[in-house]
Amino acid sequence: MTQLPQFSRQLLHPRYWITWIGIGFLYTLVLLPYPVLYAIGCALGRTALRFMNRRANIARRNLELCFPQMPESEREAVIKRNFESVGMGFIETGMAWFWPDWRMQKWVKTSGLEHISNALEQKKGVLLVGLHFLTLELGARIFGIYNPGIGVYRPNDNALLDWLQTWGRMRSNKSMLDRKDLKGMIRALKNNDILWYAPDHDYGPRSSVFAPLFAVQDAATTAGSYVLIRTARPAVVPFVPRRLPNGKGYELMMLPDVGPDMPLDSELATATRMNKVVEECILLAPEQYMWLHRRFKTRPEGQPSLY
């Protein structure tokens, strides 16, 4: 059972004072009008691009691996917009943690909410497939306003930030589960809850299978999707929180349930189909995906590093 972090007097210790100052700055910053925040976030990202050379090279390599036919000039344009999205991701984290619901809803339009309600009416749990978009934090908060669910997360090494991100996410959701708590996830789905789940990171060779993702034929992909879907038989609803251009706000998109056509005869079959779902979602907002991490760092035994 996942034990969620609680506020304690220890979080007021001097070693956290710098973090508290940063939190206060972020809280104050997101009081500004959204068009101003959009301009600040994009400018922050463009500035980061000039200094984060290693991350830019990782993003460049990921795009090259996934889209080998994409012209270099187009890849560079995607990287520039991707870093603008990185800057906005910082701003959106503060929005997700501190904005009231009414302000959030003012800047969001939704589509596909009926896919969630249809599943719940059928007394089915919902495996909400949420990818690592740079809008992730904001998207989880927005979704919870309409359909409170249970999030899956990795505990933060900083105890103060661990408590704060949990507090922020719980403002519009029911609970959180450690990403290692597989039994808790299955229990939530069997109880007909909504479980936010990300199948798109490289979690290492343990409990992973190698399945195609875009042009990469052997991408380490979690086998957790197979276990969850086969055991709990939930609706499988992809979820994309997309930032609209020019500071116009956000679009929260729920796509149709892909559970009925999800093959369950093997971990590889499930992972291959899930990666197709991941591809479809990424292509809805490719410049907003988290290309900055080494998605393909784990390779089959004997194969050289792609980085």
Side-chain angles (χ1 to χ4, degrees), residues 144-158:
I145 293 173
Y146 297 94
N147 290 285
I150 298 173
V152 176
Y153 81 116
R154 180 180 69 82
N156 198 294
D157 293 334
N158 182 306

Side-chain angles (χ1 to χ4, degrees), residues 4 23 28 102 134 150 163 204 242 263 303-304:
L4 297 181
I23 292 169
T28 304
W102 66 264
L134 291 157
I150 298 173
W163 167 77
R242 181 166 62 179
Q303 290 195 19

Side-chain angles (χ1 to χ4, degrees), residues 112-128 143 147 188-195 232-238 254-260:
L113 286 171
E114 68 274 9
H115 302 308
I116 303 295
S117 58
N118 289 343
L120 297 178
E121 287 172 3
Q122 296 173 32
K123 305 299 182 182
K124 298 175 69 174
V126 177
L127 189 66
L128 189 69
F143 180 85
N147 290 285
L189 291 173
K190 286 189 172 182
N191 287 337
N192 301 330
D193 273 321
I194 301 170
L195 181 75
R233 302 298 173 119
V236 182
V237 179
M254 271 64 67
L255 306 183
D257 177 13
V258 297

